[in-house]
Amino acid sequence: MSQIHDLATWEPLLRLVRDANAEQLAAPGGCFTGQITLGSWTLPAPQPRPQPGRALQVADMQDQFTAVERVQDALRADGASSGLLRLNS
């Protein structure tokens, strides 16, 4: 089976989005979408806010970077250029 169809590929990303939107997804009809391409992504997950007086650091978003890279690697392995994420309640 292709990595892109393996739940283990998507699970870290799904967890991040679900945790960021738990209340909306718990409501009947709750739905979120996002897209991952080889060069960018859009996800319904907020960026963390840095401490006052400090810029946002890569480490602040490392979980998101790691989760997205896993999906991007699977896209590359399949020869695809993008993937769509859709969560429904």
Side-chain angles (χ1 to χ4, degrees):
M1 174 169 48
S2 165
Q3 288 179 342
I4 202 68
H5 295 106
D6 187 349
L7 180 60
T9 299
W10 292 90
E11 189 273 333
L13 188 65
L14 295 171
R15 181 174 288 133
L16 285 172
V17 172
R18 182 199 63 202
D19 291 350
N21 300 285
E23 189 174 314
Q24 292 93 332
L25 288 171
C31 174
F32 284 97
T33 61
Q35 184 169 350
I36 297 175
T37 68
L38 296 179
S40 65
W41 66 89
T42 60
L43 296 175
Q47 288 187 348
R49 294 194 178 263
Q51 296 174 359
R54 181 178 154 275
L56 189 65
Q57 305 290 309
V58 170
D60 296 330
M61 294 185 59
Q62 192 60 55
D63 290 343
Q64 195 172 118
F65 290 145
T66 301
V68 168
E69 284 175 350
R70 182 181 287 206
V71 174
Q72 287 173 329
D73 289 345
L75 289 169
R76 277 186 202 92
D78 271 12
S81 61
S82 67
L84 180 65
L85 168 67
R86 181 178 172 96
L87 290 178
N88 294 319
S89 61

